[in-house]
Every structure is written in C-alpha cells, then in structure tokens.
C-alpha cells in the first residue's frame, strides 16, 4: 500500500499546484498589461461622480463611467467613418488571464465594453484566457460567433491574432498596447503614449518636490515600462535639470511576481523616502500599492504617484492624502472607440496612438494637490501636443 | 489473460471513470448553488466537443500533457516524485529556441531532430541536478525539484532578458530570434493541429516499451515497489534513481516544444505557457501511470479545457473547468483507496477460500 500513500502525497501536491496555477494566472494578468495599477481600478459605481477626472471628449449624449467620458471625437486613425452603429450588433472582447475583476487593465477594457453596451446598444461577448493556450481558441470562437470588432486585451495576443486576423479578413480586430509586425489590413493597434502622460506627472513631481530628489519604481524591466520612466525623467528634468531621480525595477522580463509584490515596492520606497526623496512614481501593477503605503508611513510631505487609473478614487482616506496625482491611461476609451468606429463602418486597420492630444492619456487632479501647478502642467501639455516638446520614448 | 488480471483492469478503469463522473456531479452542485443550470453548461461543453475545431484544440492541449504525464509517471514508477517537470521544460524550451536559431544551415528534418535532442538533453540535465543531490547527499527529490523550479524560472528570465531578447518594429512581443522555417514542426492541419501529437504518441509508446516490456523497466518497477528486495536481487537503486530522473527530465523537455517549434517559433518569457508540469501529475494520477491511461486522461483534460472556452459566451466562468480538474484528482484518490480496499478484500477472501479448500482436501486425503 506504499503506492497509495505516495498517491495521497502526490494528489495533495497537485491540488496545491492547481491552486498555485490559479494564483499564478492572476499574477500574469498584470504582466500582459504591464502598466497598470492593481486592485484600485475605478468601477462603474463611481460613474460620473469622479471629481476632476479627465475626459475623452464632451459630445452630448456620451456615456460616462468610472470618471471617463465616452463618445468624444474619434481619433483620425479610424478613418472618420460616418455610419451609425447597429443596435444589437456583436462586439467581442478577449481578455488576457485575470479578466474582468483583475482590478487593472482588463477591467479598464471592461469599462469601455460596458459603456459601449449601454451607450451604443451593442451586445458584448467576452472570453477570458485562463492560460496562454486559451488565447487562440478564444479569438477563433469570437470570430466564428460573428463578433465585429474583436478586441484582444494585451500584447501577448500578438502571435495568435496575426494568424486569426489573416484567416478572417472581413472581421476587424483591435489589440491593446501592441503594434504587430507587418501590414495588417484588419487590425487596429491601440497604443498609448504613456511617456507623454508620464512627462506631466514627472513635471508635477519635480514642481512639488522640496528636496529635489524623486524616484521611479518599475515592474518588469521591459520596454513598455521604460517608456513610462523615460517620460517621467524628461518631465522632471524639464522643471529642474539638477533633480536627482532614483530608479529601480522589481523584476526581470518574465518575472511575473514583479507586478504583485507591494512589499518589495514598499521596501524600496521607504528607503528612498528616508534618504530624502519626497515623490515616487510607480509603474508596477499591484506592487504600486506598496509605494503609497510607504508614503503614508513616511508622513506628511511624502507623495506617491499612481498609474493607469485615477488611484485616488479607490484609495483609503489615509492613502488619499499622499496620492499627488495619477498617470491615467484610457484603455476604456480605446475599447469603446474601436467598437464605435467599427460599428460606424471603419474597415481599414491602422495604428491608433492614444496620447495627450486626444486625451487618451493624462494626469488626474483628484484631491486637488496639483491645482496650484495645473497651469504649468497644462502649459507642458500644450507644448507636447503642439510638438514644441518631444518626449523621449526610451 | 486470467480472470483476476481482467478484474483488476476493470476495477482500475471503472474507478477512473467513476472519479470523473463524481467530479461532474460535484461541479453540477456548485453550478446549481450559483444559480446556473448544470445541464445547460454541460450541454454547451458537449456541443462544443462535437466541433472539429474544438477537437483539434483539445488534441493540441493534450499533447504537452501526454509528455508531462509520461515524465511524471516515469518518476512514480521508481517511487520518485518529479515535481520539477515545470522547471525542466522551461529550461529546455529556452535553450532549444536559442540553439534552433543557430543551426539553420541544417536541412529540415535534421534541424528539428537536433532541436528535439537538445530539448531532451536540457530537460535531463536539469533533472540530473536533483538526481545527483539525491544519490550523493540524500536530498529529497521533492524539495530539490521545487527549488530547481524557482531557479529555472529566474535563470531563464535572466538569460533571456540579458542575452537573447529580440523585437520586431514597435511590437511589444519580446521573444528570442525567430527559428528559421526548417526548424519548425509542421502542422497536420494548418494552424489547428500540430505534428507534435504524433511525437507524443510515439513517446507514450516508447514509455510503454521501456517501462513495461524491457528488462530495465522491470528493474525500475521492482526498485519502486520494494527497494530492499530489489537491492537484494542485485539491482542498484542509486543507479535506478539517476536513470529514472534523467529519463523523466528528458521526456519533460518535450513539453514546451509544441509551443516553441510548432506555434510561436521562438521563446518568450511572458508568453510562455506554464503550469503543465503540475497538470502532468494529475494526468499521471488519473491515468494510473499506464500509457493508455495517460493518453486518455490527457485527452480528457484537453477536451475539458478546449470546450470550456465556449462557456464565456453563455456567461459562465471558465474556472468551473479548473474546479472539475481539481475534483477529479481528489476523487481519483478517494475512489482508488476504496477500490484498492475492495480488491484487497477480494484477494484475501480468495486466498482464505483457497487455503480452506486446500485444508479440506488435505483433511479428506488424511
């Protein structure tokens, strides 16, 4: 009966393993999204009530959710379609691992989908990848289901999307945070000028810093996050060329724990606050919460800057006093706009950059801590939009 | 085949089937409790399972599971618990992807063959560390392989990120350099079914020959069953441990190959499909370490996962499939225990009966 004893040990391990795999998949989410802020995404519950949230246009009749206004002018990349969205037409969302309720990036796409459902009257079909093996079948299922457009949430869909988009030339696709190689007639690349938004929060950090010493905490050491750091550095240096900027990444590419280690971020941030830094920006998924907690612990005059969503809206009252601003990335608007544009007849794939110019990225003003420097920040914003300032991407 | 053996096979097969049915019932109850109709959910999965595309997908998912199941089962046969399959296939996939790009001068079949050999060697080498630690220092292989998993992930991430990252244009999809076409495993059905399925069946067949039909397999199973008895009859258990772990690691090396050589044609830290090593343990358990059992349970797990992708369309969370898988594993253990006791009891009864019969016969003659 030694075998059955072994069997028991083994099965215990399998159960633990499956549990670990389940946890692992939620960690992976953030790796896909790479730029998001864990556990604090705004929800539909705060619809319309969000103070000072950025808007993506102000056309009457636009839908508002999570502090974002939907239904502004479509970016030019969609080719200015003029049709009307057919009520009841189907749009598909392929979430990456984590899916709805991940509190970050997938949730932001979900807000856009929800807004499209209520605002445009379309039917939304959603499939979520449980493992990497699900990405291809999920896109195929949605394609076979007659959904159009289909939005793949995250660059990890790239390889599969290229195959499936080629096989379904009449369906339009969107992919968030990625520009797939090659000319893709039916793919909209939905990318964000995170460096531009980061420039503004970098300027805010430098303007608010009394010590002339600030910091940046990145999640995985990958290009997507270097983009945030580059903008932040440029913004801070535009204000104060002698500013000291600390920088640290929580993990190497593929180290998915980097997005879910608030303890690590807290340790680093505490060290920097102690040595004199007073503003720290983190682009590190759920780990960013550790930076906010470190700022709370460090006391008055120590600030954290949020990323992706307006983190002030979902923070605790104690945390709110230390959230200077957030770099907001409107995946929700990109999702909504793609559904709307395709519904209105957009049929030519393109690269859509959501930038300061079209309010695809921006900084949050909740809490009123940047009110006194708002004029300066908006000045930088205007300069970036006009091309007077060119923000580095790496 | 005598009656007893048939009965044992029957009981084993029936208990596996019972475990699966039990899991479906439990999940049905969970679905009911969450206000969903189990019949609708199972009907949707059943209908999906009838689609050709879903069937191909199921086979695609089953393929790495067959490798993983064999790798784990090889360990089990020697009473070793190779939990390190996870790390072994990751290292193998990274190294193979790198080597694959450097040997593009080879003609197609040879190119793939060399890649597979590299994968086997890497998997075996990584498992070999645990084997060495066990026979030389007595380190439990469970502890060693768990630690080696963690090391493998970090090592692969570091190597990849430091030396081998490659991107095309503005793509965020960072991979190693693409493997030239001659190093790809061709598809059986374009973009739907890869040739590795055939390789998996061949490996399972080889597993059967090696473990159940060869002299080495006999020694392996003997040492696994009763170490002391095997030693007494001249089988070196250390040697068996090393060989079993090396073989297990070599087979584990195949797991990531379908993704690397058949699909993405490169290695990517972030897109890497992980967790198959753990699922492999479940496959080996449900399949009772038997080749046919491994193939069937891998196909079952593949089909469950593939047909579950349709559940999102009827707004049912796909997690239900993970619950089904978990419950299957638990019920395998419970049902196995019960059926094991039943078989034991039958054997005892039969033995008692035989002894009694023998005694009466003796009594008659005396």
């Amino acid at each position: 009966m030694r075998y059955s004893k072994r069997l028991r040990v083994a099965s215990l391990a399998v159960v633990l393993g499956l549990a670990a795999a389940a946890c692992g998949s939620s960690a992976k989410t953030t790796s896909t999204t790479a730029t998001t802020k864990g556990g604090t995404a705004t929800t539909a519950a705060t619809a319309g009530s969000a103070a000072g949230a950025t808007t993506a246009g102000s056309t009457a009749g636009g839908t508002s959710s999570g502090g974002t206004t939907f239904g502004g002018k479509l970016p030019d990349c969609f080719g200015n379609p003029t049709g009307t969205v057919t009520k009841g037409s189907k749009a598909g969302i392929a979430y990456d691992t984590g899916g709805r309720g991940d509190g970050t990036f997938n949730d932001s796409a979900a807000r856009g989908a929800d807004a499209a459902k209520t605002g445009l009257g379309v039917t939304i079909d959603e499939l979520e990848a449980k493992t990497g093996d699900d990405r291809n079948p999920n896109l195929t299922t949605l394609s076979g289901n007659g959904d159009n457009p289909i939005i793949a949430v995250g660059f990890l869909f790239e390889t599969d999307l290229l195959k499936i988009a080629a096989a379904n030339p009449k369906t339009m696709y969107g992919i968030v945070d990625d520009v797939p190689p090659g000319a893709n007639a039916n793919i909209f690349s939905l990318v964000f000028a995170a460096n531009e938004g980061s420039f503004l929060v970098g300027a805010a950090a430098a303007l608010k810093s009394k010590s002339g010493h600030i910091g940046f905490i990145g999640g995985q050491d990958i290009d997507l996050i270097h983009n945030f750091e580059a903008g932040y550095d440029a913004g801070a240096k535009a204000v104060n060329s002698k500013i000291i900027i600390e920088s640290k990444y929580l993990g190497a590419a593929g180290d998915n724990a980097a997005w879910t280690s608030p303890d690590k971020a807290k340790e680093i941030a505490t060290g920097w606050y102690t040595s004199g830094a007073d503003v720290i920006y983190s682009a590190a998924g759920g780990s960013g919460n550790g930076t906010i907690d470190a700022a709370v612990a460090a006391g008055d005059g120590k600030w954290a800057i949020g990323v992706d969503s307006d983190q002030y809206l979902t923070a605790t009252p104690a945390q709110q006093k230390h959230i200077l601003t957030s770099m907001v990335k409107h995946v929700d608007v990109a999702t909504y706009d793609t559904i709307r544009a395709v519904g209105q007849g957009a049929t030519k794939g393109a690269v859509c950059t959501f930038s300061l110019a079209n309010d695809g990225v921006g900084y949050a003003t909740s809490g009123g801590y940047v009110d006194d420097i708002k004029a300066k920040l908006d000045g930088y914003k205007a300069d970036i939009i006009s091309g007077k300032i060119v923000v580095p991407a790496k | 085949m005598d009656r007893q053996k048939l009965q044992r096979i029957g009981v084993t097969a029936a208990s596996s089937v019972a475990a699966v049915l039990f899991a479906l019932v439990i999940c049905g109850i969970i679905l009911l409790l969450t206000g969903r109709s189990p019949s609708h959910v199972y009907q949707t999965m059943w209908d999906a399972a009838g689609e050709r595309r879903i069937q191909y997908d199921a086979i695609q998912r089953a393929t790495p599971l067959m490798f993983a199941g064999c790798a784990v089962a090889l360990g089990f046969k020697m009473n070793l618990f190779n939990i390190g399959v996870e790390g072994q296939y990751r290292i193998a996939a990274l190294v193979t992807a790198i080597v694959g790009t450097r040997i593009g001068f080879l003609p197609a079949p040879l190119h793939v063959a060399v890649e597979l050999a590299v994968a086997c060697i890497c998997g075996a080498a990584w498992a070999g560390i645990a084997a060495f630690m066990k026979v030389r220092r007595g380190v439990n292989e469970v502890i060693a392989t768990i630690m080696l998993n963690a090391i493998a992930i970090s090592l692969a991430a570091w190597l990849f990120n430091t030396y081998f990252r490659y991107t095309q244009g503005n793509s965020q999809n960072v991979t190693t350099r693409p493997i030239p076409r001659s190093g790809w495993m061709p598809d059986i059905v374009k973009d739907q079914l890869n040739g590795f399925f055939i390789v998996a069946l061949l490996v399972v067949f080889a597993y059967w020959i090696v473990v159940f039909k060869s002299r080495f397999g006999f020694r392996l199973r003997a040492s696994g069953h009763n170490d002391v008895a095997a030693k007494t009859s001249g089988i070196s258990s250390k040697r068996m441990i090393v060989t079993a772990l090396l073989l297990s690691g070599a087979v584990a090396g195949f797991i990531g190959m379908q993704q690397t050589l058949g699909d993405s044609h490169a290695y990517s830290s972030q897109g890497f499909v992980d967790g198959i090593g753990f699922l492999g343990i479940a496959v080996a358990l449900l399949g009772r370490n038997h080749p046919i059992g491994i193939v069937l349970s891998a196909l079952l797990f593949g089909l469950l996962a593939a047909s579950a992708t349709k559940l999102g369309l009827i707004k049912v969370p796909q997690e239900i499939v993970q619950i089904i898988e978990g419950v299957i594993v638990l019920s395998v253990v419970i049902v196995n225990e019960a059926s094991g006791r039943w078989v034991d009891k039958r054997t005892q009864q039969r033995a008692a009966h035989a002894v009694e019969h023998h005694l009466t016969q003796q009594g008659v003659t005396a």
Side-chain angles (χ1 to χ4, degrees):
Chain A
M1 283 280 90
R2 192 163 173 206
Y3 173 68
S4 90
K5 205 168 163 188
R6 271 268 151 178
L7 193 68
R8 253 175 284 170
V9 178
S11 48
L12 183 69
V14 175
V15 173
L16 289 175
L18 286 174
C23 300
S25 41
S26 58
K28 219 193 258 168
T29 308
T30 350
S31 82
T32 323
T33 66
T35 61
T36 52
K37 161 71 186 146
T40 56
T42 51
T43 60
T46 56
S49 64
T54 48
T55 56
S58 53
T59 312
T63 317
S64 175
S65 166
T68 308
T69 306
F70 297 96
K73 187 189 172 304
L74 280 176
D76 292 337
C77 62
F78 290 110
N80 301 311
T82 50
T84 42
V85 181
T86 315
K87 291 239 186 301
S89 63
K90 293 194 281 191
I93 313 281
Y95 297 107
D96 210 325
T97 49
R100 239 177 216 275
D102 71 338
T104 69
F105 189 78
N106 287 298
D107 253 0
S108 187
R111 281 199 298 279
D114 288 342
K117 195 171 164 185
T118 47
L120 304 172
V122 296
T123 307
I124 303 286
D125 289 311
E126 301 169 305
L127 293 180
E128 175 189 332
K130 289 287 151 211
T131 72
D133 282 336
D134 290 338
R135 293 189 191 105
N136 188 318
N138 284 358
L139 288 175
T140 312
T141 298
L142 290 170
S143 305
N145 194 46
D147 289 274
N148 191 21
I150 294 163
I151 295 162
V153 185
F155 67 85
L156 289 179
F157 277 96
E158 184 188 276
T159 317
D160 295 317
L161 181 65
L162 284 171
K163 289 181 191 165
I164 286 157
N168 298 280
K170 287 191 176 148
T171 305
M172 298 304 296
Y173 296 84
I175 182 165
V176 176
D177 262 349
D178 189 40
V179 182
N184 301 293
N186 56 342
I187 299 179
F188 289 109
S189 298
L190 310 171
V191 293
F192 296 84
N195 57 334
E196 293 184 5
S198 298
F199 184 99
L200 296 186
V201 298
L207 288 165
K208 281 287 178 176
S209 172
K210 295 208 168 74
S211 60
H213 184 179
I214 60 174
F216 173 84
I217 297 177
Q220 282 185 11
D221 197 349
I222 52 176
D223 291 348
L224 203 57
I225 301 302
H226 299 160
N227 188 243
F228 288 70
E229 187 183 7
Y232 181 72
D233 283 6
K237 285 188 175 138
V239 172
N240 173 1
S241 59
K242 292 197 181 103
I243 198 158
I244 303 165
I245 308 172
E246 307 280 359
S247 163
K248 199 133 199 165
Y249 285 81
L250 299 177
D255 177 5
N256 292 330
W259 311 110
T260 51
S261 310
D263 51 331
K264 263 193 191 170
K266 188 173 178 183
E267 200 183 308
I268 294 167
T270 304
W272 290 348
Y273 286 133
T274 312
S275 65
D278 49 6
V279 188
I280 298 174
Y281 174 39
S282 15
S287 307
N289 285 320
T291 310
I292 301 177
D293 287 339
V296 173
D300 283 349
K302 303 291 187 186
W303 297 102
I305 296 176
V307 75
D308 222 43
S309 296
D310 181 357
Q311 296 196 231
Y312 183 89
L313 299 176
T314 46
T316 64
Q319 290 177 330
Q320 285 182 335
K321 292 187 190 115
H322 294 272
I323 300 176
L324 183 64
T325 175
S326 298
M327 203 292 282
V328 187
K329 198 173 134 180
H330 285 294
V331 177
D332 44 5
V333 173
T335 305
Y336 180 94
D337 280 356
T338 309
I339 296 172
R340 186 161 65 121
V342 172
Q344 291 180 354
T347 51
K348 199 167 179 308
V351 177
C352 294
T353 305
F354 291 82
S355 61
L356 285 178
N358 54 16
D359 281 317
V361 293
Y363 67 97
T365 54
S366 307
Y369 303 124
V370 291
D371 285 355
D372 52 335
I373 54 172
K374 197 168 181 307
K376 280 186 183 159
L377 295 182
D378 287 343
Y380 283 122
K381 182 178 168 180
D383 285 350
I384 294 170
I385 293 173
S386 73
K388 205 166 137 195
I389 295 177
V390 178
V391 185
K394 274 186 196 173
Chain B
M1 213 185 279
D2 60 292
R3 192 164 153 262
Q4 240 174 303
K5 196 173 176 191
L6 264 179
Q7 194 179 41
R8 208 168 53 235
I9 292 173
V11 169
T12 314
S15 60
S16 284
V17 172
V20 174
L21 291 177
F22 180 67
L24 292 179
V25 171
I26 295 280
C27 286
I29 295 172
I30 295 172
L31 285 169
L32 268 183
L33 289 177
T34 53
R36 294 181 168 98
S37 146
S39 60
H40 186 204
V41 170
Y42 290 150
Q43 184 69 44
T44 307
M45 287 176 71
W46 181 256
D47 290 346
E51 281 179 44
R52 184 55 55 88
R53 175 176 73 75
I54 300 282
Q55 289 163 356
Y56 287 150
D57 185 30
I59 295 174
Q60 288 263 83
R61 290 165 190 261
T63 301
L65 290 180
M66 288 181 204
F67 294 127
C70 281
V72 174
L74 267 166
F76 276 153
K77 280 293 172 193
M78 175 56 218
N79 215 12
L80 287 169
F81 191 13
N82 182 6
I83 206 172
V85 169
E86 200 60 31
Q88 288 146 21
Y89 83 82
R90 186 180 284 262
I91 293 288
L94 174 65
V95 178
T96 307
I98 295 163
V99 173
T101 59
R102 306 288 155 98
I103 52 170
F105 52 85
L106 293 174
L110 194 59
H111 191 172
V112 177
V114 172
E115 283 168 338
L116 291 183
V118 169
C120 283
I121 293 167
C122 289
W126 199 251
I129 302 175
F132 177 80
M133 286 163 78
K134 183 160 175 97
V135 294
R136 277 305 175 84
R137 287 278 168 267
V139 179
N140 185 311
E141 82 281 2
V142 175
I143 311 284
T145 49
I146 288 177
M147 290 305 166
L148 284 167
N149 279 348
I151 296 171
I153 292 170
S154 305
L155 180 66
W158 175 73
L159 284 173
F160 170 71
N161 202 38
T162 318
Y163 301 109
F164 303 108
R165 40 188 292 129
Y166 170 80
T167 42
Q168 276 178 285
N170 287 322
S171 168
Q172 287 295 338
N173 193 26
V174 185
T175 61
T176 53
R177 283 188 168 279
I179 297 171
R181 192 169 272 276
S182 59
W184 298 6
M185 177 59 84
D187 285 341
I188 300 173
V189 180
K190 191 177 178 291
D191 286 344
Q192 295 199 61
L193 184 60
N194 189 260
F196 265 105
F197 175 52
I198 309 285
V199 179
L201 292 180
L202 290 175
V203 166
V204 173
F205 184 71
Y207 165 80
W208 179 65
I209 297 285
V210 167
V211 174
F212 293 87
K213 295 289 154 196
S214 75
R215 214 167 67 140
F216 162 76
F218 177 77
R219 292 171 162 203
L220 182 82
R221 284 177 294 141
S223 308
H225 266 300
N226 192 332
D227 188 27
V228 179
K231 245 183 231 164
T232 321
S233 56
I235 300 172
S236 155
S237 71
K238 281 190 177 177
R239 206 191 166 118
M240 283 295 134
I241 288 171
V242 172
T243 323
L245 269 177
L246 288 181
L247 275 180
S248 177
V251 175
F254 280 114
I255 296 172
M257 288 303 104
Q258 180 173 263
Q259 190 191 3
T260 311
L261 305 183
D263 183 25
S264 54
H265 309 125
Y267 172 90
S268 146
S269 254
Q270 298 190 303
F272 195 68
V273 176
D274 55 4
I276 296 175
F278 297 115
L279 264 179
I281 300 170
V283 167
L285 280 177
L286 181 62
R288 304 303 175 88
N289 302 328
H290 191 277
I292 296 176
I294 289 171
V295 171
L296 291 180
S297 19
L299 285 172
L300 174 73
F301 277 59
L303 191 60
L304 279 173
S307 54
T309 56
K310 286 256 176 168
L311 291 181
L313 293 180
I314 59 164
K315 316 273 179 216
V316 172
Q318 283 159 258
E319 275 87 351
I320 196 71
V321 164
Q322 275 163 326
I323 300 177
I324 294 179
E325 286 171 355
V327 178
I328 286 178
V329 174
L330 285 177
S331 26
V332 163
V333 179
I334 297 166
V335 174
N336 181 60
E337 197 83 347
S339 73
R341 274 181 203 172
W342 185 77
V343 169
D344 278 358
K345 211 169 148 194
R346 287 282 302 193
T347 317
Q348 278 166 8
Q349 272 174 352
R350 204 176 295 118
H353 188 76
V355 169
E356 216 168 84
H357 185 72
H358 186 65
L359 284 179
T360 16
Q361 268 197 335
Q362 270 187 334
V364 170
T365 44

